[in-house]
Amino acid sequence: MSEVLLSAFNPSTMSPKLLEAIFVEREPLVQELLGSIRGSLSPTSKAHSLILGPRGMGKTHLVSLIYHRIREGKKGAEGLDEHLRIAWLREEERGIATFFHLLRRIIVVLAATYKDLELEKRLTDLKGNSPQDTQTLAERLLVEWLDGKILLLLVENFEDMLSRMGEQGQQAFRAFLQNRSCCLVLATAPTLTAALSKQTAPFYNFFNLHTLEEFSVETARNLMRLIAQQRGDKEFAAFLETPVATERLRAIEDLAGGHPRIWILFAGFLTKEILDDLVPAFYKLVDELTPYYQSKMENLPGQEALIIETLCEKPGAMPVKELADACFLAPNAVSAHLNDLTKRGFVRSEKLGRESYYELREPLLRVWIQVKGDRDKPIRLIIEFIKRWFISKGNLEPGSLEEFLRIFIRLLFVKGLYEGLPDHCLSEWSKAKSECEELEIPLRMLAAAVEWKRTRSRAALLRLEPELRSKLESLLPPEASVVEAPRRKR
């Protein structure tokens, strides 16, 4: 079995061969974008494109693939490279504060990509002129160097670059794109910020928009198959076709959502050997996710960060008024913040009647925040539950039903645990009842516990036989909600 360099956070560092080998689901979009680039070779028509998706959704992988296909003339990009010059501005371009800085950076990247020392020298020679003259001369230098070819400008985190340039820089950039026929932009952004969506903004309604969707369980399974193939891991490839693998993939989806970055990180955690020691493995995963979630959280305004942390503390989705009360903020302010957080991919909503309920788009963010605050409590409980959930249906080990029941009921009352997880798993175990008659009594007790949690009514318990009711009551917490996971008895 061979080692394969997979980078969940920097796909642009991966080899073109590996990028192609683990690419799933989005080939139609790649072909559409390549077709759009081909159609923009005409001097009279430019179809600028913007790819939208939260961090970790696969934007860099897609852009990297397009770049390499054009340079190598493969898979729909045949013949494009001879008509293009590509400047790829990657995620960490923080030094672009004006339109001139953008021009300068483009020229520097082109000089390095195409190994043109003379171009770099000519840029250096522009020093000493006034700022306006320097910008004009840099623009002229770029156009002359292109010599009739089209500049394909790949820009990651486009919204961040626009923010740093300010409105004056944005206006100059847009004027350049409109007045010159030599530049085509393919950009990425987590969401449409004001610089892209406000009607008075220079780039309002300027781009063809393409939104990346989350991976389904089956798409994720295909990704894992490709990773197994690259590693030469036949055992893992065979394991992916089993019912146990399906349950594990669903468990990951419940905790992590459908972000490709998370699935790639989990690729090393699905083997039987690692799952036998899942708690330290999961902690390792959370540590690897720390830079990702820190980058998501660090730039949030104070009140938006408060809303996110409150959603992490409360189980399930919350309506605006309840969330506002918990945050001690005005409902209209919370509503405005939630609208922004929805656009930026932090939360999602579901409308029930006249009211909208909001929850985290990535349940794993809740786990990360919990672990950051307490590395022992409730994350260990979640892992215990997942390990029990992985027991093959109809093949339960002796004593596992009682343990399953005890852990599941504790899960129902863990502060901050994703509300949909117990219901989903209860549904899955219910489906298994036909294969394992032993599940009937525990399932009746679990259903009663779920109803009791929701209603706090003894009517839910009175439907059980006295001996089952007594057993269940011994497992339930006091009337007041449990705010932390109780520790296991030794």
Side-chain angles (χ1 to χ4, degrees):
M1 184 171 66
S2 62
E3 287 295 321
V4 176
L5 179 60
L6 291 176
S7 177
F9 295 95
N10 296 292
S12 59
T13 64
M14 293 162 61
S15 70
K17 182 179 178 181
L18 184 55
L19 286 169
E20 290 283 0
I22 63 169
F23 188 60
V24 293
E25 188 73 13
R26 293 167 177 165
E27 183 62 29
L29 176 57
V30 170
Q31 292 303 322
E32 180 181 349
L33 290 169
L34 288 173
S36 179
I37 292 170
R38 193 177 296 279
S40 297
L41 297 178
S42 163
T44 59
S45 175
K46 294 290 177 290
H48 305 283
S49 298
L50 180 63
I51 303 168
L52 297 172
R55 292 183 184 273
M57 193 58 78
K59 301 185 297 295
T60 298
H61 190 152
L62 192 146
V63 169
S64 301
L65 208 67
I66 288 175
Y67 173 82
H68 289 298
R69 285 192 185 182
I70 292 174
R71 294 308 309 274
E72 296 173 7
K74 295 179 177 178
K75 295 187 176 181
E78 292 83 355
L80 282 177
D81 193 50
E82 63 186 80
H83 300 285
L84 299 172
R85 290 292 178 263
I86 306 176
W88 187 357
L89 308 188
R90 314 210 179 189
E91 289 185 291
E92 304 303 323
E93 297 283 354
R94 293 196 173 97
I96 298 174
T98 65
F99 177 54
F100 166 70
H101 290 128
L102 174 59
L103 289 171
R104 174 185 174 278
R105 185 61 187 151
I106 290 171
I107 293 171
V108 167
V109 170
L110 289 171
T113 301
Y114 295 93
K115 298 179 174 54
D116 192 332
L117 298 179
E118 178 62 24
L119 176 61
E120 194 168 357
K121 179 181 180 302
R122 291 177 65 188
L123 175 64
T124 304
D125 291 343
L126 298 182
K127 294 178 181 179
N129 294 289
S130 68
Q132 185 57 51
D133 286 346
T134 302
Q135 177 177 303
T136 301
L137 291 169
E139 184 176 331
R140 186 180 303 161
L141 171 61
L142 174 60
V143 174
E144 288 177 358
W145 183 85
L146 289 171
D147 191 25
K149 298 185 185 297
I150 301 297
L151 170 66
L152 176 59
L153 181 59
L154 306 178
V155 188
E156 298 186 65
N157 290 343
F158 186 63
E159 83 299 341
D160 184 55
M161 188 188 81
L162 292 183
S163 175
R164 294 175 188 278
M165 288 175 66
E167 187 170 355
Q168 184 175 355
Q170 294 171 31
Q171 289 173 341
F173 183 25
R174 165 125 190 192
F176 170 76
L177 294 174
Q178 286 184 314
N179 296 334
R180 302 281 190 175
S181 59
C182 61
C183 184
L184 176 67
V185 178
L186 173 59
T188 72
T191 187
L192 289 176
T193 59
L196 295 162
S197 61
K198 191 176 179 181
Q199 289 190 356
T200 57
F203 283 96
Y204 173 73
N205 208 25
F206 186 79
F207 290 93
N208 294 328
L209 303 180
H210 305 272
T211 301
L212 300 184
E213 301 297 333
E214 295 181 350
F215 278 5
S216 66
V217 167
E218 281 309 308
T219 301
R221 193 198 306 268
N222 288 336
L223 173 62
M224 300 295 180
R225 288 185 184 117
L226 294 174
I227 291 173
Q229 183 179 338
Q230 289 302 304
R231 290 175 173 167
D233 192 341
K234 295 181 180 179
E235 182 179 352
F236 182 44
F239 169 73
L240 287 169
E241 309 307 319
T242 66
V244 174
T246 300
E247 300 301 337
R248 293 179 181 179
L249 291 169
R250 287 175 179 167
I252 294 170
E253 182 186 40
D254 283 332
L255 280 176
H259 286 38
R261 176 175 292 167
I262 306 300
W263 286 108
I264 289 176
L265 284 171
F266 266 109
F269 289 69
L270 283 175
T271 61
K272 295 177 182 179
E273 292 79 8
I274 293 179
L275 279 168
D276 288 339
D277 196 14
L278 189 57
V279 173
F282 200 93
Y283 279 141
K284 181 176 183 291
L285 171 64
V286 171
D287 285 340
E288 289 180 350
L289 285 171
T290 292
Y292 167 59
Y293 283 126
Q294 279 181 338
S295 70
K296 284 176 71 77
M297 294 291 291
E298 66 183 2
N299 294 321
L300 282 180
Q303 291 189 356
E304 291 187 2
L306 172 62
I307 289 170
I308 292 298
E309 295 206 350
T310 302
L311 284 171
C312 287
E313 293 169 1
K314 302 290 183 180
M318 300 176 70
V320 173
K321 187 178 185 308
E322 182 181 338
L323 189 52
D325 289 344
C327 295
F328 292 88
L329 296 173
N332 60 342
V334 171
S335 182
H337 287 314
L338 286 169
N339 185 53
D340 180 58
L341 288 167
T342 300
K343 290 179 179 177
R344 296 171 66 183
F346 279 90
V347 301
R348 56 186 169 197
S349 64
E350 181 175 338
K351 200 166 185 64
L352 294 177
R354 299 173 126 189
E355 202 154 34
S356 292
Y357 285 73
Y358 291 85
E359 64 182 350
L360 296 176
R361 183 168 184 174
E362 293 182 62
L364 199 58
L365 175 59
R366 172 180 283 131
V367 177
W368 178 76
I369 288 178
Q370 288 177 347
V371 174
K372 185 180 65 171
D374 189 334
R375 288 192 65 91
D376 185 55
K377 299 188 268 203
I379 184 69
R380 187 173 295 275
L381 192 62
I382 294 172
I383 299 305
E384 282 185 275
F385 167 69
I386 291 175
K387 288 184 75 174
R388 291 299 173 184
W389 190 28
F390 288 156
I391 297 173
S392 298
K393 297 171 182 176
N395 242 335
L396 300 172
E397 298 174 355
S400 61
L401 281 176
E402 184 177 350
E403 181 72 359
F404 162 68
L405 180 62
R406 184 174 64 82
I407 291 174
F408 197 110
I409 289 175
R410 288 166 62 197
L411 278 168
L412 291 175
F413 299 93
V414 173
K415 176 183 178 182
L417 182 63
Y418 175 42
E419 185 75 7
L421 191 58
D423 282 345
H424 174 72
C425 297
L426 180 57
S427 171
E428 290 299 312
W429 277 76
S430 296
K431 294 175 186 176
K433 187 167 65 172
S434 61
E435 302 173 31
C436 182
E437 293 181 0
E438 293 175 322
L439 283 173
E440 181 175 357
I441 289 175
L443 284 169
R444 287 176 58 206
M445 296 173 71
L446 289 174
V450 171
E451 185 178 348
W452 184 86
K453 184 197 174 188
R454 288 173 176 160
T455 65
R456 286 300 197 272
S457 170
R458 277 190 58 77
L461 307 183
L462 291 173
R463 296 191 183 97
L464 295 173
E465 296 90 328
E467 62 273 16
L468 297 183
R469 187 189 315 147
S470 175
K471 175 68 174 176
L472 181 56
E473 286 176 332
S474 71
L475 296 171
L476 292 174
E479 274 310 304
S481 297
V482 174
V483 296
E484 292 183 343
R487 294 188 179 276
R488 297 184 65 174
K489 295 180 181 178
R490 296 188 179 273

